[in-house]
Amino acid sequence: MSVDVSWWTLRRRVLALLGVVGALLLSVAVAEAVVATKNREYTDVLLMEVGPLRVQGQEMLNALLDQETAVRGYAVTADPEDLAPYEQGLAQERVTAQEIRQLSGKYPAIVADLEAVEQQADEWRRGVAQPVIEATRTDGTEAGQALLTDEARQRFDEVRGAVSALQDEILTAREATADNVERTGNLLVILLIVAALVVGTAGIALLLALDRMVLRPLTGLAGQVREVVTGDYAHRIVGSGPPEFQRLGADVDAMRQRIAADLAEVREARERIEWVNAQLQKQAEELTRSNRDLEQFAYVASHDLQEPLRKVASFCQLLQRRYAGRLDERADQYIAFAVDGAQRMQRLINDLLAFSRIGRLTAGFTEVDLNSLMADVAAQTEPARQYADAELTWGNLPVIRGEEPLLTNLLVNLVSNSVKFRRPDVPPKVHVSARLVGEEWEISCQDNGIGIEPEFADKIFVIFQRLHAKDAYPGTGIGLAIVKKIVEYHGGRVWVDTDVPEGTAIRFTLPAMPGDVEAARQSGQPAGATEPDSDAADHDASPPVGEQAGGDGTVSVDADTDSAHRSTDDPAAGSAGARTADVARQGDADGATGEAPGRGGRSGSGDTGGMKEAVG
């Protein structure tokens, strides 16, 4: 009959061993309990029965001796007081006999000896003590002493002998009980030794079993795992010992196979990544060369390409001035087309250069006061605003970290765009405001122009996106793309708010200074609250004339065209024009771009240069 070894798991083996040891220990414990009970019984008999019996036997002898001594004394003195010990000894004898009977219920031999003592004592009292007492009381001491013969002494010795026999019997019972106590005590010790041997044997067996069933299989399994750890991933792991360890070995081997497969995939992936990195390195080198080529192209475009364009434009303009009216009408039209094309090409090249330079040629971020910056924006856009009779106001603007030239270009493009896309016969009004939303400043540029339809709100920031004819709204279509790139370079976002009642509101965000955020948090100002407009002004040389609410609810100081805006007679106008020319060379002070159709068909270009052409 074969035994299923797999059934004997480590748990079952340990439980079987513990069951056998437990059964043995339980048997020993039951035997110890029985022996201990007997030992306690014998000890109780020894302490509570046999021990007091010895005392009572001695008390019995003392009581009889008191009687015998009292009789002899009374026979000598005839004093009744000498008989008091006799009476007391007699009473003590009776009490002692009663206690001995109570304690010796299990010992009939002791009871028999007690009865013999009582019988001998009664015979001594009848034959010796009472006659002596009567003779002394009636006839005097001589008569009493005459009765105290050797025979009387022998009779009392017989009583003493009976008491000695009683004491011997009590001693025999005590020794037998003591032997029982000693025997049960020794048996208890033997049982404790047996229990200790069982525990020790079980401990040794358990250690040997653990060594054979646990330690050795685990050590072997650990050795195989270490071989795998050293790099031999093909080494097969086999468990030994109990079924649990065999299954553990199988699980570890399955894990090894999975790890080996994963490592193979990792090696393949690493090889692929190395190949991809090599390709990326090649592409990076190609991009580096391409960037160098683009920089060289930008240099050529900014210098070499513009020189022929300037020459073409100059000679076309000379042809236009010298031969205007001398040729036919079609020739004048062709010359005008050539002049316009050369000028548009120059503006397009300048705008592309400005767009490509954003974020590449940087002087680092500094703290920029947008209030002071708006004064420069007003100066640069003044010619276009005067031509269109436009009104520019702004609220109390924050201080942010950024590049001042780029932020100036950003606001110049937005203001120029608002002035450019105005409604006919309606003086343009442009208002710039700011509010703190969370940890960002939301800056708005709102106008009363032709507006933008919602479906075209995202297209106006796409470079070269034009949805108007060139003669309707001139420009290159890059201005608002430049705006978007500048805002994103500063960590913000830009969008068109299509919910305004009239005109267009272009909003963009810029990160706020930590001090502004902390101040707003300490003052309990809710997110999105409009910044108070305490010192808003048009930053003009003339004093503020009045206050009006801006498009976003901020309060701004507004002035009429004569006081708040610089007039053409103002000496600063020349410098403003110079700054406008500078910005035109850097990136579209002549024209902000990015067209999309609006409510009246609005384009995203803010080409003040086109306006100046119209003036000319």
Side-chain angles (χ1 to χ4, degrees):
M1 182 177 179
S2 60
V3 180
D4 188 5
V5 179
S6 62
W7 185 85
W8 284 96
T9 62
L10 179 61
R11 181 189 296 273
R12 294 181 183 275
R13 295 179 186 184
V14 173
L15 290 178
L17 177 60
L18 293 178
V20 172
V21 174
L24 292 176
L25 291 178
L26 181 61
S27 301
V28 173
V30 171
E32 287 182 349
V34 173
V35 174
T37 301
K38 288 293 184 181
N39 181 267
R40 183 174 180 179
E41 291 177 358
Y42 292 146
T43 303
D44 290 341
V45 169
L46 182 63
L47 296 177
M48 305 301 294
E49 296 179 5
V50 180
L53 279 174
R54 291 193 65 191
V55 176
Q56 296 302 323
Q58 187 62 39
E59 290 291 332
M60 176 66 75
L61 180 59
N62 292 336
L64 292 172
L65 289 175
D66 290 341
Q67 294 177 40
E68 195 269 341
T69 302
V71 170
R72 287 181 178 277
Y74 182 71
V76 174
T77 62
D79 187 357
E81 293 182 357
D82 291 337
L83 287 177
Y86 176 78
E87 298 295 335
Q88 295 174 356
L90 181 60
Q92 181 65 35
E93 177 189 349
R94 292 171 181 171
V95 172
T96 303
Q98 182 64 29
E99 291 182 358
I100 290 174
R101 281 189 176 88
Q102 292 177 354
L103 294 173
S104 60
K106 299 179 181 179
Y107 304 98
I110 295 177
V111 175
D113 290 342
L114 176 61
E115 292 176 351
V117 170
E118 290 178 334
Q119 183 179 358
Q120 292 290 338
D122 288 341
E123 290 178 358
W124 173 78
R125 280 190 291 272
R126 287 194 302 268
V128 177
Q130 291 298 331
V132 170
I133 293 173
E134 291 296 331
T136 302
R137 182 181 298 119
T138 57
D139 298 332
T141 57
E142 292 181 0
Q145 291 180 359
L147 295 175
L148 296 173
T149 61
D150 292 336
E151 182 181 356
R153 286 194 294 273
Q154 290 177 357
R155 295 187 68 174
F156 188 79
D157 289 339
E158 291 176 359
V159 174
R160 192 194 297 269
V163 174
S164 296
L166 175 63
Q167 288 180 337
D168 291 341
E169 187 63 32
I170 292 173
L171 181 60
T172 301
R174 178 187 178 280
E175 290 177 352
T177 305
D179 290 340
N180 289 333
V181 172
E182 183 178 3
R183 179 173 54 80
T184 53
N186 292 334
L187 187 57
L188 279 176
V189 173
I190 292 173
L191 290 175
L192 289 175
I193 293 173
V194 171
L197 290 175
V198 170
V199 172
T201 303
I204 294 173
L206 183 61
L207 288 176
L208 293 176
L210 288 176
D211 179 70
R212 181 174 177 274
M213 294 186 297
V214 178
L215 297 180
R216 292 180 185 177
L218 281 180
T219 303
L221 184 61
Q224 297 180 71
V225 171
R226 280 193 293 271
E227 291 184 13
V228 175
V229 171
T230 54
D232 187 8
Y233 298 106
H235 179 75
R236 185 171 180 271
I237 298 176
V238 179
S240 60
E244 293 93 341
F245 290 166
Q246 296 178 11
R247 289 193 293 270
L248 177 61
D251 293 340
V252 173
D253 189 66
M255 182 174 64
R256 175 197 62 81
Q257 295 176 7
R258 179 62 181 273
I259 293 174
D262 291 343
L263 286 176
E265 294 180 0
V266 169
R267 290 192 188 96
E268 295 177 0
R270 184 173 60 186
E271 292 175 356
R272 289 195 298 269
I273 291 173
E274 290 176 353
W275 181 83
V276 171
N277 287 336
Q279 297 299 317
L280 289 176
Q281 183 66 28
K282 293 179 181 178
Q283 293 180 3
E285 294 175 356
E286 293 176 359
L287 285 175
T288 302
R289 289 193 298 270
S290 176
N291 287 336
R292 286 198 300 267
D293 294 341
L294 287 175
E295 290 178 0
Q296 292 176 0
F297 171 76
Y299 178 82
V300 171
S302 62
H303 294 82
D304 298 343
L305 289 181
Q306 292 197 48
E307 178 60 27
L309 282 174
R310 284 195 293 269
K311 185 177 294 185
V312 170
S314 298
F315 281 102
C316 286
Q317 289 173 349
L318 287 175
L319 285 173
Q320 189 178 38
R321 287 196 297 268
R322 179 170 297 182
Y323 297 103
R326 296 184 181 182
L327 303 175
D328 58 4
E329 182 180 355
R330 186 175 296 275
D332 292 340
Q333 186 180 9
Y334 291 166
I335 293 174
F337 286 162
V339 171
D340 180 69
Q343 291 175 346
R344 286 184 56 79
M345 180 61 73
Q346 284 181 329
R347 289 196 297 272
L348 182 61
I349 292 174
N350 288 331
D351 290 347
L352 284 173
L353 288 174
F355 185 81
S356 65
R357 286 169 181 161
I358 296 174
R360 289 195 306 110
L361 304 177
T362 176
F365 282 14
T366 58
E367 293 187 3
V368 180
D369 186 355
L370 297 185
N371 292 298
S372 301
L373 187 141
M374 279 302 299
D376 194 16
V377 172
Q380 293 189 30
T381 60
E382 185 173 5
R385 289 188 290 110
Q386 287 185 350
Y387 171 77
D389 194 19
E391 177 183 333
L392 174 62
T393 59
W394 62 89
N396 187 26
L397 302 178
V399 176
I400 58 98
R401 286 190 60 81
E403 292 195 23
E404 184 172 356
L406 293 180
L407 294 174
T408 302
N409 194 6
L410 163 67
L411 292 171
V412 164
N413 275 289
L414 291 178
V415 173
S416 299
N417 230 40
S418 296
V419 172
K420 176 180 178 180
F421 294 99
R422 60 188 180 275
R423 289 182 292 173
D425 302 327
V426 176
K429 291 184 179 181
V430 185
H431 182 73
V432 179
S433 61
R435 64 173 184 168
L436 185 63
V437 179
E439 297 183 356
E440 293 180 324
W441 284 106
E442 181 184 295
I443 302 173
S444 303
C445 180
Q446 186 168 355
D447 59 51
N448 62 343
I450 63 176
I452 298 176
E453 294 296 337
E455 59 266 27
F456 302 112
D458 294 333
K459 294 184 178 180
I460 64 172
F461 299 105
V462 179
I463 190 169
F464 297 135
Q465 183 70 48
R466 294 183 59 92
L467 299 177
H468 287 280
K470 296 182 181 65
D471 54 352
Y473 293 100
T476 59
I478 303 179
L480 289 183
I482 291 176
V483 167
K484 184 174 184 293
K485 191 170 183 181
I486 293 174
V487 170
E488 292 177 349
Y489 174 68
H490 284 79
R493 56 192 179 89
V494 62
W495 71 96
V496 176
D497 187 354
T498 58
D499 294 333
V500 294
E502 68 172 1
T504 304
I506 296 181
R507 309 187 192 278
F508 61 93
T509 61
L510 294 175
M513 300 280 285
D516 295 338
V517 178
E518 185 65 24
R521 186 180 294 113
Q522 291 178 358
S523 63
Q525 183 177 1
T530 303
E531 284 293 302
D533 197 2
S534 58
D535 300 322
D538 203 12
H539 294 264
D540 193 64
S542 302
V545 176
E547 295 183 354
Q548 72 177 36
D552 61 347
T554 59
V555 179
S556 63
V557 176
D558 191 12
D560 58 20
T561 308
D562 293 334
S563 60
H565 299 153
R566 302 180 191 272
S567 66
T568 53
D569 297 332
D570 191 343
S575 61
R579 284 193 295 270
T580 304
D582 291 338
V583 175
R585 285 192 296 271
Q586 295 175 4
D588 200 26
D590 278 310
T593 61
E595 295 85 10
R599 295 182 181 88
R602 174 172 181 166
S603 168
S605 174
D607 192 359
T608 54
M611 294 180 183
K612 285 185 282 186
E613 279 186 36
V615 175

